[in-house]
PDB file of all heavy atoms in Angstrom:
ATOM      1  N   LEU A1163      93.029 106.403  78.272  1.00 78.00           N
ATOM      2  CA  LEU A1163      94.244 105.668  78.597  1.00 78.00           C
ATOM      3  C   LEU A1163      94.195 105.363  80.084  1.00 78.00           C
ATOM      4  O   LEU A1163      94.487 106.218  80.919  1.00 78.00           O
ATOM      5  CB  LEU A1163      95.483 106.490  78.242  1.00 78.00           C
ATOM      6  CG  LEU A1163      96.829 105.804  78.388  1.00 78.00           C
ATOM      7  CD1 LEU A1163      96.893 104.532  77.551  1.00 78.00           C
ATOM      8  CD2 LEU A1163      97.956 106.740  77.995  1.00 78.00           C
ATOM      9  N   VAL A1164      93.757 104.165  80.428  1.00 76.00           N
ATOM     10  CA  VAL A1164      93.630 103.785  81.824  1.00 76.00           C
ATOM     11  C   VAL A1164      94.996 103.856  82.484  1.00 76.00           C
ATOM     12  O   VAL A1164      95.979 103.359  81.958  1.00 76.00           O
ATOM     13  CB  VAL A1164      93.039 102.365  81.951  1.00 76.00           C
ATOM     14  CG1 VAL A1164      93.049 101.895  83.400  1.00 76.00           C
ATOM     15  CG2 VAL A1164      91.625 102.342  81.405  1.00 76.00           C
ATOM     16  N   GLY A1165      95.058 104.516  83.616  1.00 81.00           N
ATOM     17  CA  GLY A1165      96.302 104.644  84.357  1.00 81.00           C
ATOM     18  C   GLY A1165      97.033 105.944  84.117  1.00 81.00           C
ATOM     19  O   GLY A1165      98.013 106.228  84.783  1.00 81.00           O
ATOM     20  N   ASP A1166      96.571 106.778  83.191  1.00 81.00           N
ATOM     21  CA  ASP A1166      97.219 108.067  82.930  1.00 81.00           C
ATOM     22  C   ASP A1166      96.671 109.105  83.902  1.00 81.00           C
ATOM     23  O   ASP A1166      95.903 109.977  83.539  1.00 81.00           O
ATOM     24  CB  ASP A1166      96.973 108.497  81.481  1.00 81.00           C
ATOM     25  CG  ASP A1166      97.641 109.823  81.142  1.00 81.00           C
ATOM     26  OD1 ASP A1166      98.572 110.225  81.871  1.00 81.00           O
ATOM     27  OD2 ASP A1166      97.214 110.462  80.163  1.00 81.00           O
ATOM     28  N   VAL A1167      97.076 109.010  85.154  1.00 81.00           N
ATOM     29  CA  VAL A1167      96.516 109.898  86.174  1.00 81.00           C
ATOM     30  C   VAL A1167      97.057 111.320  86.082  1.00 81.00           C
ATOM     31  O   VAL A1167      96.443 112.257  86.576  1.00 81.00           O
ATOM     32  CB  VAL A1167      96.722 109.332  87.597  1.00 81.00           C
ATOM     33  CG1 VAL A1167      95.991 108.019  87.749  1.00 81.00           C
ATOM     34  CG2 VAL A1167      98.190 109.173  87.939  1.00 81.00           C
ATOM     35  N   SER A1168      98.201 111.507  85.432  1.00 82.00           N
ATOM     36  CA  SER A1168      98.767 112.849  85.305  1.00 82.00           C
ATOM     37  C   SER A1168      98.235 113.593  84.089  1.00 82.00           C
ATOM     38  O   SER A1168      98.471 114.782  83.932  1.00 82.00           O
ATOM     39  CB  SER A1168     100.300 112.778  85.222  1.00 82.00           C
ATOM     40  OG  SER A1168     100.678 112.135  84.014  1.00 82.00           O
ATOM     41  N   GLY A1169      97.524 112.884  83.206  1.00 79.00           N
ATOM     42  CA  GLY A1169      96.987 113.519  82.004  1.00 79.00           C
ATOM     43  C   GLY A1169      98.026 113.826  80.952  1.00 79.00           C
ATOM     44  O   GLY A1169      97.828 114.674  80.087  1.00 79.00           O
ATOM     45  N   SER A1170      99.144 113.133  80.971  1.00 83.00           N
ATOM     46  CA  SER A1170     100.243 113.402  80.046  1.00 83.00           C
ATOM     47  C   SER A1170     100.130 112.622  78.738  1.00 83.00           C
ATOM     48  O   SER A1170     100.981 112.743  77.878  1.00 83.00           O
ATOM     49  CB  SER A1170     101.571 113.044  80.706  1.00 83.00           C
ATOM     50  OG  SER A1170     101.635 111.640  80.910  1.00 83.00           O
ATOM     51  N   ARG A1171      99.106 111.802  78.595  1.00 80.00           N
ATOM     52  CA  ARG A1171      98.879 110.944  77.437  1.00 80.00           C
ATOM     53  C   ARG A1171      99.854 109.778  77.363  1.00 80.00           C
ATOM     54  O   ARG A1171      99.960 109.105  76.353  1.00 80.00           O
ATOM     55  CB  ARG A1171      98.884 111.737  76.126  1.00 80.00           C
ATOM     56  CG  ARG A1171      97.760 112.752  76.061  1.00 80.00           C
ATOM     57  CD  ARG A1171      97.907 113.668  74.886  1.00 80.00           C
ATOM     58  NE  ARG A1171      98.080 112.968  73.637  1.00 80.00           N
ATOM     59  CZ  ARG A1171      97.258 113.024  72.611  1.00 80.00           C
ATOM     60  NH1 ARG A1171      96.181 113.753  72.688  1.00 80.00           N
ATOM     61  NH2 ARG A1171      97.507 112.382  71.494  1.00 80.00           N
ATOM     62  N   THR A1172     100.579 109.543  78.452  1.00 85.00           N
ATOM     63  CA  THR A1172     101.497 108.418  78.553  1.00 85.00           C
ATOM     64  C   THR A1172     101.391 107.837  79.957  1.00 85.00           C
ATOM     65  O   THR A1172     101.284 108.589  80.924  1.00 85.00           O
ATOM     66  CB  THR A1172     102.951 108.879  78.327  1.00 85.00           C
ATOM     67  OG1 THR A1172     103.050 109.515  77.063  1.00 85.00           O
ATOM     68  CG2 THR A1172     103.920 107.722  78.383  1.00 85.00           C
ATOM     69  N   VAL A1173     101.407 106.517  80.081  1.00 85.00           N
ATOM     70  CA  VAL A1173     101.454 105.890  81.398  1.00 85.00           C
ATOM     71  C   VAL A1173     102.908 105.579  81.694  1.00 85.00           C
ATOM     72  O   VAL A1173     103.552 104.832  80.973  1.00 85.00           O
ATOM     73  CB  VAL A1173     100.598 104.612  81.444  1.00 85.00           C
ATOM     74  CG1 VAL A1173     100.679 103.974  82.830  1.00 85.00           C
ATOM     75  CG2 VAL A1173      99.153 104.928  81.096  1.00 85.00           C
ATOM     76  N   ASN A1174     103.421 106.210  82.750  1.00 87.00           N
ATOM     77  CA  ASN A1174     104.835 106.055  83.054  1.00 87.00           C
ATOM     78  C   ASN A1174     105.063 106.062  84.557  1.00 87.00           C
ATOM     79  O   ASN A1174     104.117 105.993  85.341  1.00 87.00           O
ATOM     80  CB  ASN A1174     105.642 107.153  82.354  1.00 87.00           C
ATOM     81  CG  ASN A1174     105.136 108.540  82.709  1.00 87.00           C
ATOM     82  OD1 ASN A1174     104.604 108.763  83.784  1.00 87.00           O
ATOM     83  ND2 ASN A1174     105.304 109.475  81.782  1.00 87.00           N
ATOM     84  N   ALA A1175     106.320 106.178  84.971  1.00 88.00           N
ATOM     85  CA  ALA A1175     106.678 106.134  86.386  1.00 88.00           C
ATOM     86  C   ALA A1175     106.009 107.243  87.189  1.00 88.00           C
ATOM     87  O   ALA A1175     105.720 107.064  88.376  1.00 88.00           O
ATOM     88  CB  ALA A1175     108.198 106.207  86.533  1.00 88.00           C
ATOM     89  N   VAL A1176     105.759 108.396  86.573  1.00 88.00           N
ATOM     90  CA  VAL A1176     105.091 109.493  87.275  1.00 88.00           C
ATOM     91  C   VAL A1176     103.700 109.054  87.723  1.00 88.00           C
ATOM     92  O   VAL A1176     103.284 109.317  88.859  1.00 88.00           O
ATOM     93  CB  VAL A1176     105.006 110.754  86.376  1.00 88.00           C
ATOM     94  CG1 VAL A1176     104.149 111.826  87.016  1.00 88.00           C
ATOM     95  CG2 VAL A1176     106.406 111.271  86.069  1.00 88.00           C
ATOM     96  N   ASP A1177     102.972 108.370  86.844  1.00 86.00           N
ATOM     97  CA  ASP A1177     101.632 107.891  87.191  1.00 86.00           C
ATOM     98  C   ASP A1177     101.696 106.835  88.294  1.00 86.00           C
ATOM     99  O   ASP A1177     100.890 106.847  89.219  1.00 86.00           O
ATOM    100  CB  ASP A1177     100.946 107.315  85.953  1.00 86.00           C
ATOM    101  CG  ASP A1177     100.796 108.352  84.859  1.00 86.00           C
ATOM    102  OD1 ASP A1177     100.132 109.373  85.090  1.00 86.00           O
ATOM    103  OD2 ASP A1177     101.366 108.140  83.776  1.00 86.00           O
ATOM    104  N   ILE A1178     102.647 105.937  88.172  1.00 87.00           N
ATOM    105  CA  ILE A1178     102.784 104.889  89.183  1.00 87.00           C
ATOM    106  C   ILE A1178     103.093 105.512  90.538  1.00 87.00           C
ATOM    107  O   ILE A1178     102.475 105.170  91.545  1.00 87.00           O
ATOM    108  CB  ILE A1178     103.868 103.875  88.767  1.00 87.00           C
ATOM    109  CG1 ILE A1178     103.402 103.105  87.522  1.00 87.00           C
ATOM    110  CG2 ILE A1178     104.183 102.914  89.910  1.00 87.00           C
ATOM    111  CD1 ILE A1178     104.481 102.291  86.860  1.00 87.00           C
ATOM    112  N   SER A1179     104.005 106.467  90.578  1.00 87.00           N
ATOM    113  CA  SER A1179     104.351 107.139  91.832  1.00 87.00           C
ATOM    114  C   SER A1179     103.162 107.903  92.405  1.00 87.00           C
ATOM    115  O   SER A1179     102.933 107.901  93.619  1.00 87.00           O
ATOM    116  CB  SER A1179     105.518 108.101  91.615  1.00 87.00           C
ATOM    117  OG  SER A1179     106.672 107.389  91.252  1.00 87.00           O
ATOM    118  N   ALA A1180     102.410 108.562  91.538  1.00 85.00           N
ATOM    119  CA  ALA A1180     101.253 109.328  92.000  1.00 85.00           C
ATOM    120  C   ALA A1180     100.209 108.432  92.645  1.00 85.00           C
ATOM    121  O   ALA A1180      99.647 108.767  93.683  1.00 85.00           O
ATOM    122  CB  ALA A1180     100.629 110.105  90.843  1.00 85.00           C
ATOM    123  N   VAL A1181      99.964 107.278  92.046  1.00 84.00           N
ATOM    124  CA  VAL A1181      98.989 106.355  92.627  1.00 84.00           C
ATOM    125  C   VAL A1181      99.526 105.769  93.921  1.00 84.00           C
ATOM    126  O   VAL A1181      98.815 105.689  94.920  1.00 84.00           O
ATOM    127  CB  VAL A1181      98.607 105.252  91.616  1.00 84.00           C
ATOM    128  CG1 VAL A1181      97.712 104.206  92.273  1.00 84.00           C
ATOM    129  CG2 VAL A1181      97.883 105.856  90.428  1.00 84.00           C
ATOM    130  N   LYS A1182     100.795 105.376  93.952  1.00 84.00           N
ATOM    131  CA  LYS A1182     101.382 104.830  95.174  1.00 84.00           C
ATOM    132  C   LYS A1182     101.301 105.834  96.321  1.00 84.00           C
ATOM    133  O   LYS A1182     101.009 105.481  97.455  1.00 84.00           O
ATOM    134  CB  LYS A1182     102.850 104.456  94.944  1.00 84.00           C
ATOM    135  CG  LYS A1182     103.053 103.128  94.278  1.00 84.00           C
ATOM    136  CD  LYS A1182     104.550 102.825  94.212  1.00 84.00           C
ATOM    137  CE  LYS A1182     104.810 101.470  93.631  1.00 84.00           C
ATOM    138  NZ  LYS A1182     106.245 101.177  93.521  1.00 84.00           N
ATOM    139  N   ALA A1183     101.575 107.101  96.022  1.00 83.00           N
ATOM    140  CA  ALA A1183     101.572 108.133  97.059  1.00 83.00           C
ATOM    141  C   ALA A1183     100.185 108.340  97.651  1.00 83.00           C
ATOM    142  O   ALA A1183     100.044 108.855  98.757  1.00 83.00           O
ATOM    143  CB  ALA A1183     102.090 109.452  96.485  1.00 83.00           C
ATOM    144  N   ARG A1184      99.158 107.956  96.912  1.00 80.00           N
ATOM    145  CA  ARG A1184      97.790 108.159  97.380  1.00 80.00           C
ATOM    146  C   ARG A1184      97.111 106.849  97.774  1.00 80.00           C
ATOM    147  O   ARG A1184      95.906 106.815  97.947  1.00 80.00           O
ATOM    148  CB  ARG A1184      96.991 108.858  96.284  1.00 80.00           C
ATOM    149  CG  ARG A1184      97.430 110.285  96.086  1.00 80.00           C
ATOM    150  CD  ARG A1184      96.887 110.861  94.792  1.00 80.00           C
ATOM    151  NE  ARG A1184      97.230 112.261  94.648  1.00 80.00           N
ATOM    152  CZ  ARG A1184      98.393 112.714  94.222  1.00 80.00           C
ATOM    153  NH1 ARG A1184      99.358 111.876  93.906  1.00 80.00           N
ATOM    154  NH2 ARG A1184      98.619 114.005  94.118  1.00 80.00           N
ATOM    155  N   ALA A1185      97.884 105.784  97.893  1.00 80.00           N
ATOM    156  CA  ALA A1185      97.290 104.479  98.182  1.00 80.00           C
ATOM    157  C   ALA A1185      96.542 104.495  99.511  1.00 80.00           C
ATOM    158  O   ALA A1185      97.032 105.002 100.518  1.00 80.00           O
ATOM    159  CB  ALA A1185      98.367 103.402  98.196  1.00 80.00           C
ATOM    160  N   ASN A1186      95.328 103.981  99.464  1.00 80.00           N
ATOM    161  CA  ASN A1186      94.423 103.762 100.583  1.00 80.00           C
ATOM    162  C   ASN A1186      93.572 104.946 101.035  1.00 80.00           C
ATOM    163  O   ASN A1186      92.724 104.760 101.891  1.00 80.00           O
ATOM    164  CB  ASN A1186      95.134 103.152 101.782  1.00 80.00           C
ATOM    165  CG  ASN A1186      95.607 101.754 101.476  1.00 80.00           C
ATOM    166  OD1 ASN A1186      94.890 100.983 100.849  1.00 80.00           O
ATOM    167  ND2 ASN A1186      96.807 101.420 101.888  1.00 80.00           N
ATOM    168  N   PRO A1187      93.686 106.159 100.501  1.00 84.00           N
ATOM    169  CA  PRO A1187      92.747 107.192 100.968  1.00 84.00           C
ATOM    170  C   PRO A1187      91.372 107.004 100.334  1.00 84.00           C
ATOM    171  O   PRO A1187      91.218 106.305  99.336  1.00 84.00           O
ATOM    172  CB  PRO A1187      93.377 108.495 100.480  1.00 84.00           C
ATOM    173  CG  PRO A1187      94.129 108.106  99.264  1.00 84.00           C
ATOM    174  CD  PRO A1187      94.652 106.717  99.551  1.00 84.00           C
TER     175      PRO A1187
END
């Protein structure tokens, strides 16, 4: 599931926030 960075089996606001918080490193 592309975009499921939290491993929760769902792509949701948590994943979006996690990626935003790490943008550019």
